[in-house]
Amino acid sequence: MEYLILILIGLSAAALGSLVGIGGGVIIVPLLIFFGIDNDIISDVTPQSAVGTSSMVLIFIGLSALMSYGRSNQVDRKNGLLFMAGIVPGALAGAYLSGLFTTESFKLYFGLFLILLSVILIVRDRIKPLSMFQDERYVRPHVDNMGNVYHYGFPPYIAIIGSFIAGLTAGLFGIGGGAIMTPMMLILFRMPASIAIGTSMLLVFFGALSSATGHLLQGNVNFLHTLFLVPSAFVGAKIGVYLNQKFDSDTVVAVLRTVLLLLGIYMIIQSFL
């Protein structure tokens, strides 16, 4: 039963995460805590091992989705390099800071973070992209997978600061950084949705790689759990990319933000019990 649950967690989290460009860690971590710490169905789970193991799994989710999005020209590689300059050190710093969490404090802060993500998913399509960070000196054309040409550009320091913050949350909570970077790219950097989601998976990959390295050095990765999560997550990411290119993801996003809200409330309540 334990191993079947791990397989289902990897499959569902990766499919949802790659579909909307958030990676899947926001699903993996709370489910590991729910089945591990709260119900003792999955053995040897701590907040730090949940985050470290999730980061390790997200490497493969990010790589799987990135390969597919890259082939369809949905990755902005040039700006992606700028984002990586912030997300890599941010994720390493977050991985070490996560050691400060107790079980109760982790549940509280992660619950609040999940509610914040739910709110971001609610408003991200209702807020028009802001022009304040656009700079004509950096505007470049980019052609998406449908042949549409988009023009956008922003100062490098803004990209690095924003991605550092995303990386910090990736290391702290094992989410890869896509949950923060995707709405940031849509709203602040005026990137089209198809390119933002594809580029986000590039950042999930490198953010998770950096976070997992930090957690590995601290012994926070459960390799037995990883063994069952990774293959199912790799398949789930492929499914998510396929659905992204075939269907309107609005309904899935609506379901996901509701799930995140409920998970956040549940974890906050659990932190006081």
Side-chain angles (χ1 to χ4, degrees):
M1 176 62 75
E2 175 181 357
Y3 302 138
L4 176 61
I5 289 174
L6 286 169
I7 291 170
L8 292 175
I9 289 174
L11 191 69
S12 58
L16 284 171
S18 57
L19 174 61
V20 296
I22 63 172
V26 291
I27 305 295
I28 293 174
V29 173
L31 289 184
L32 284 177
I33 288 175
F34 175 79
F35 287 109
I37 297 175
D38 296 344
N39 292 284
D40 203 28
I41 297 173
I42 300 176
S43 58
D44 302 322
V45 176
T46 66
Q48 285 74 23
S49 75
V51 172
T53 302
S54 173
S55 297
M56 183 65 73
V57 175
L58 285 175
I59 294 174
F60 297 92
I61 294 178
L63 178 61
S64 175
L66 176 60
M67 290 166 61
S68 298
Y69 282 126
R71 284 193 294 268
S72 59
N73 200 34
Q74 287 180 253
V75 179
D76 184 338
R77 293 172 178 82
K78 184 174 181 180
N79 285 314
L81 289 173
L82 277 179
F83 294 136
M84 282 164 52
I87 204 165
V88 169
L92 284 169
Y96 281 94
L97 289 174
S98 71
L100 301 175
F101 285 128
T102 63
T103 299
E104 290 72 24
S105 64
F106 180 83
K107 287 181 177 180
L108 174 61
Y109 291 119
F110 194 79
L112 291 170
F113 182 70
L114 289 178
I115 292 174
L116 173 64
L117 290 184
S118 178
V119 172
I120 288 174
L121 287 175
I122 290 171
V123 304
R124 78 174 192 181
D125 294 327
R126 300 181 184 181
I127 299 178
K128 293 183 178 180
L130 304 176
S131 58
M132 60 186 295
F133 293 113
Q134 294 295 292
D135 190 320
E136 292 297 328
R137 292 175 296 174
Y138 304 103
V139 171
R140 299 289 186 276
H142 190 96
V143 184
D144 70 3
N145 59 316
M146 301 299 291
N148 301 309
V149 180
Y150 298 92
H151 294 81
Y152 54 87
F154 35 84
Y157 76 91
I158 294 293
I160 294 172
I161 291 172
S163 57
F164 179 85
I165 294 170
L168 198 64
T169 63
L172 279 172
F173 299 124
I175 62 167
I180 299 296
M181 283 306 302
T182 298
M184 192 181 295
M185 286 187 281
L186 290 171
I187 297 169
L188 300 185
F189 303 140
R190 298 179 67 89
M191 295 171 68
S194 60
I195 297 172
I197 290 173
T199 306
S200 174
M201 299 316 296
L202 171 71
L203 304 177
V204 166
F205 172 69
F206 282 100
L209 189 63
S210 305
S211 175
T213 299
H215 283 289
L216 228 119
L217 293 173
Q218 299 176 82
N220 292 340
V221 177
N222 187 311
F223 289 101
L224 181 60
H225 295 168
T226 304
L227 183 65
F228 287 91
L229 287 166
V230 165
S232 58
F234 195 84
V235 174
K238 295 290 186 184
I239 294 171
V241 173
Y242 173 81
L243 293 176
N244 174 273
Q245 295 170 346
K246 297 294 181 181
F247 301 104
D248 182 4
S249 62
D250 287 348
T251 301
V252 179
V253 171
V255 172
L256 179 61
R257 67 195 183 202
T258 302
V259 170
L260 292 179
L261 178 62
L262 294 175
L263 282 173
I265 293 171
Y266 169 80
M267 293 194 74
I268 290 173
I269 293 172
Q270 285 291 309
S271 73
F272 291 103
L273 297 180

